């Protein structure tokens, strides 16, 4: 069972229990007090009857007639019955008090017993005790009181009757009213308790939903709880924890993306140098060359191998560790771009692409290995964009105002205008089928952008679909005299 329903039914049951017990105690106490008052009133009437009887007997004795009557009851029974009846007849605001006068065996002497009553109460009492009983006779409730009295040496009992039906009617009315109140409390109070329970549990429900979203890896939004109680404090603590977890999750995701980018970049960067190294090694194996040519080709292979070794470490530092303090140094633009040309040439030749270099000498203030990665990436993308014969790729470098510009242009398939703004995003590929078929991972230009930011340079793209693409990179802080 949910906590909401546990809270709701617990409050309902506790409320109904205590209200029910309290109501029962009040109704019962009121009824008991009313019965006690009526019993006391019945005894007062009985006392009045006893007092009136004693007064009547005393008066008769003074008249010297009662002693004679009591001595010979069989002779003048009508006379003393009349005397007793007249002596015990008492008028009150509620009418004449109903009574009966009997001997110790319960035999009626004068007065009359109410229907439904007998001498049972009198027989159950001793001559020194009094008692009462309550009976229901014909839908009415009566109190029957009896007490002993001694007259002229003989024992008798005085009985009186009091109607207390109204007490029981009131008690029944109170019970019905209380039942209605209990019903109203159950339904009206239940509705109020439902709203209160919903209000109390709502912050917990929000926290539960937020926990599920957090567990599912979705974006975490703060849980808004305006109360300043323990639940409000719990919500604040949860928000702080969720914020910290979100930060850690984003950091882990970013680290995972950078690791994936590093692996993809390394795979991407590995192919072109390896193609070059394999090409040069194949030339050494299959062709007769002079000693000088052999040394040059071997040196090219060694240089590319060293570059791969250094490049792997620097790519990891750039993409995974986000290092930004690489040491830049001044290099010859012509020598740098010539080394790029020599590295890429074998893969261009293997694809039957005409590869042209138009390089103007100058000075570059760069990190050579990372910048070479940028140039090779751009040239490799140009190579992949050409599908068929007649392909041409141009690597150009020239001095411009306040810097040096390197451009790579091709006559390949081009890039649609709507895609130009997205091509530098990590893992984005304009033509996924072509890129997968030719070994692309959609990571090269993202790395190029990161390297250019490191150099405070710029990279721009111009492309016409089915005509070709030209990519320009601008490197600042260049002095043609070799001074920065």
């Amino acid at each position: 069972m949910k906590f909401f329903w546990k809270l709701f039914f617990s409050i309902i049951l506790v409320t109904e229990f205590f209200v029910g017990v309290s109501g029962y105690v009040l109704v019962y106490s009121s009824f008991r007090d009313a019965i006690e008052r009526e019993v006391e009133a019945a005894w007062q009437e009985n006392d009045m009857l006893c007092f009136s009887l004693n007064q009547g007997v005393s008066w008769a004795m003074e008249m010297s007639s009662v002693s004679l009557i009591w001595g010979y009851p069989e002779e003048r029974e009508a006379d003393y019955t009349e005397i007793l009846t007249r002596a015990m007849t008492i008028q009150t605001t509620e009418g004449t008090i109903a009574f009966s006068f009997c001997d110790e065996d319960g035999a009626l002497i004068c007065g009359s017993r109410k229907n439904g009553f007998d001498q049972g109460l009198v027989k159950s009492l001793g001559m020194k005790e009094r008692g009462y009983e309550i009976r229901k006779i014909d839908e009415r409730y009566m109190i029957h009181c009896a007490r002993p009295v001694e007259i002229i040496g003989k024992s008798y009992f005085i009985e009186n009757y009091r109607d207390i039906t109204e007490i029981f009617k009131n008690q029944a009315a109170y019970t019905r009213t209380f039942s209605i109140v209990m019903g109203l409390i159950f339904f009206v109070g239940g509705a109020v308790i439902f709203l209160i329970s919903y209000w109390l549990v709502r912050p917990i429900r929000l926290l539960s939903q937020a926990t599920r979203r957090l567990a599912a890896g979705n974006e975490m939004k703060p849980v808004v709880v305006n109360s300043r109680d323990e639940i409000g404090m719990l919500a604040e603590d949860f928000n702080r924890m969720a914020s910290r977890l979100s930060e850690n999750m984003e950091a882990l995701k970013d680290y995972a993306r950078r690791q994936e980018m590093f692996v993809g970049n390394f795979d991407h960067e590995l192919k072109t140098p390896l193609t070059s190294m394999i090409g040069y090694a194949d030339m050494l194996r299959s062709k007769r060359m002079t000693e000088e040519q052999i040394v040059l080709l071997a040196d090219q292979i060694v240089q590319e191998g060293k570059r791969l070794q250094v490049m792997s470490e620097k790519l990891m530092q750039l993409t995974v560790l986000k290092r930004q303090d690489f040491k830049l140094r001044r290099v010859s633009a012509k020598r740098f771009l010539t080394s790029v040309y020599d590295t890429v040439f074998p893969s261009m030749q293997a694809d039957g692409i005409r590869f042209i270099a138009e390089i103007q000498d100058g000075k570059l203030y760069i990190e050579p290995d990372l910048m070479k990665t940028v140039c090779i990436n751009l040239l490799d993308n140009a190579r992949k964009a050409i599908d068929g014969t007649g392909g041409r790729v141009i690597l150009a470098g020239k001095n411009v105002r306040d810097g040096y510009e390197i451009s790579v242009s091709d006559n390949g398939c081009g890039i649609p205008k709507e895609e130009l703004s997205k091509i530098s995003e990590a893992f984005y590929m304009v033509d996924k089928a072509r890129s997968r078929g030719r070994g692309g991972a959609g990571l090269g230009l993202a790395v190029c952008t990161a390297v250019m930011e490191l150099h405070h340079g710029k990279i721009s793209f111009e492309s016409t679909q089915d005509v070709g693409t030209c990519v320009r990179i601008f490197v600042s802080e260049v002095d043609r005299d070799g001074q920065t």
Side-chain angles (χ1 to χ4, degrees):
M1 182 183 290
K2 291 186 177 180
F3 176 72
F4 169 79
W5 293 113
K6 289 181 180 179
L7 180 64
F8 173 75
F9 286 119
S10 296
I11 297 176
I12 282 287
L13 291 175
V14 170
T15 303
E16 289 288 320
F17 174 77
F18 283 105
V19 171
V21 170
S22 301
Y24 172 79
V25 171
L26 289 174
V27 172
Y28 176 76
S29 298
S30 175
F31 175 71
R32 183 189 59 192
D33 293 342
I35 291 294
E36 289 177 354
R37 287 194 299 271
E38 292 296 327
V39 170
E40 184 65 26
W43 283 124
Q44 289 177 0
E45 292 178 353
N46 192 280
D47 291 340
M48 292 170 62
L49 290 171
C50 182
F51 177 79
S52 179
L53 175 64
N54 287 327
Q55 290 293 326
V57 170
S58 297
W59 176 81
M61 290 176 67
E62 290 177 0
M63 298 298 294
S64 302
S65 61
V66 174
S67 58
L68 297 175
I69 295 173
W70 237 270
Y72 307 98
E74 67 280 357
E75 296 179 0
R76 302 186 63 180
E77 180 178 355
D79 292 338
Y80 71 76
T81 300
E82 182 180 352
I83 292 172
L84 292 173
T85 302
R86 187 167 54 249
M88 298 177 66
T89 299
I90 300 175
Q91 293 287 337
T92 67
T93 56
E94 298 178 359
T96 303
I97 298 176
F99 75 95
S100 58
F101 186 75
C102 63
D103 59 20
E104 59 185 352
D105 295 325
L108 186 65
I109 297 175
C110 67
S112 62
R113 285 195 175 99
K114 290 287 185 179
N115 293 333
F117 291 94
D118 53 24
Q119 63 269 32
L121 178 62
V122 172
K123 290 183 176 181
S124 66
L125 297 175
M127 294 309 298
K128 293 184 179 181
E129 59 181 343
R130 67 179 185 176
Y132 74 92
E133 63 179 346
I134 297 175
R135 287 190 181 185
K136 181 181 180 182
I137 308 296
D138 296 330
E139 302 300 325
R140 302 195 67 81
Y141 292 88
M142 305 289 293
I143 294 179
H144 174 207
C145 296
R147 66 180 297 165
V149 62
E150 186 173 327
I151 300 176
I152 316 177
K154 294 187 69 176
S155 297
Y156 300 91
F157 281 89
I158 298 176
E159 301 173 273
N160 64 302
Y161 308 88
R162 184 175 179 83
D163 191 339
I164 59 171
T165 304
E166 197 64 27
I167 300 297
F168 283 87
K169 287 182 177 180
N170 291 338
Q171 193 266 348
Y174 294 153
T175 302
R176 286 193 300 271
T177 302
F178 178 69
S179 300
I180 294 173
V181 170
M182 287 293 291
L184 290 175
I185 290 175
F186 182 81
F187 290 105
V188 178
V192 175
I193 292 171
F194 181 89
L195 295 176
I196 293 175
S197 300
Y198 182 85
W199 176 70
L200 290 174
V201 174
R202 182 176 178 274
I204 300 176
R205 186 182 296 107
L206 293 176
L207 288 172
S208 177
Q209 293 172 354
T211 302
R212 287 196 294 269
R213 287 197 301 269
L214 188 64
N218 297 329
E219 181 181 358
M220 179 60 202
K221 295 181 180 179
V223 178
V224 180
V225 177
N226 297 322
S227 62
R228 304 303 302 171
D229 53 11
E230 290 81 359
I231 295 180
M233 296 172 61
L234 175 63
E236 291 180 1
D237 294 338
F238 176 84
N239 287 335
R240 283 193 292 268
M241 178 197 71
S243 177
R244 182 65 60 85
L245 285 175
S246 296
E247 292 175 2
N248 293 339
M249 287 172 62
E250 287 300 320
L252 289 173
K253 288 179 181 179
D254 183 62
Y255 185 75
R257 282 194 300 268
R258 284 185 270 126
Q259 283 187 321
E260 189 173 357
M261 185 179 289
F262 165 71
V263 174
N265 278 322
F266 186 71
D267 176 69
H268 186 275
E269 298 304 320
L270 195 64
K271 292 177 181 178
T272 301
L274 281 179
T275 302
S276 176
M277 293 167 67
I278 292 170
Y280 289 131
D282 186 60
M283 291 173 64
L284 288 173
R285 182 185 64 177
S286 61
K287 296 182 179 179
R288 287 183 174 273
M289 296 184 177
T290 64
E291 186 175 346
E292 183 179 357
Q293 290 175 325
I294 293 173
V295 171
L296 289 174
L297 292 178
D299 181 68
Q300 188 69 27
I301 293 172
V302 171
Q303 293 301 323
E304 287 301 316
K306 289 181 178 179
R307 191 181 75 82
L308 283 177
Q309 182 181 20
V310 175
M311 182 188 66
S312 63
E313 180 181 354
K314 291 182 178 179
L315 276 177
M316 182 181 70
Q317 293 173 344
L318 178 68
T319 59
V320 179
L321 303 180
K322 291 292 185 181
R323 179 181 169 186
Q324 295 291 320
D325 58 345
F326 290 96
K327 185 176 181 180
L328 306 183
R329 56 193 178 93
R330 197 177 301 108
V331 298
S332 167
K334 188 170 185 177
R335 182 178 300 173
F336 171 75
L337 291 176
T338 300
S339 68
V340 172
Y341 178 88
D342 291 339
T343 300
V344 178
F345 179 78
S347 60
M348 295 289 187
Q349 188 178 41
D351 285 352
I353 297 173
R354 184 184 175 194
F355 189 25
I356 302 171
E358 298 175 353
I359 304 170
Q360 184 181 11
D361 200 8
K363 294 294 183 179
L364 300 174
Y365 193 65
I366 59 173
E367 204 298 315
D369 293 313
L370 292 177
M371 187 57 72
K372 191 170 184 179
T373 297
V374 172
C375 294
I376 291 175
N377 260 305
L378 297 177
L379 289 168
D380 192 53
N381 287 340
R383 177 182 66 84
K384 293 173 182 176
I386 298 172
D387 190 6
T389 60
R392 183 185 73 253
V393 175
I394 301 175
L395 172 63
K398 62 179 180 179
N399 291 295
V400 296
R401 183 178 179 181
D402 298 328
Y404 193 90
E405 182 183 272
I406 301 171
S407 64
V408 174
S409 56
D410 63 72
N411 60 347
C413 61
I415 303 172
K417 288 183 179 181
E418 61 272 14
E419 307 289 344
L420 279 174
S421 61
K422 305 177 184 178
I423 57 176
S424 60
E425 297 176 4
F427 303 102
Y428 185 82
M429 294 178 286
V430 176
D431 188 339
K432 297 179 175 58
R434 178 190 296 269
S435 299
R436 283 194 295 267
R438 307 199 68 177
L443 284 162
L445 292 180
V447 176
C448 292
T449 302
V451 174
M452 294 310 299
E453 288 175 356
L454 175 68
H455 287 81
H456 304 288
K458 298 178 182 178
I459 183 168
S460 60
F461 301 88
E462 295 178 7
S463 183
T464 302
Q465 197 167 4
D466 299 325
V467 175
T469 302
C470 180
V471 184
R472 293 184 175 86
I473 57 177
F474 172 81
V475 182
S476 61
E477 298 184 358
V478 175
D479 190 309
R480 293 179 186 176
D481 296 329
Q483 302 295 323
T484 61

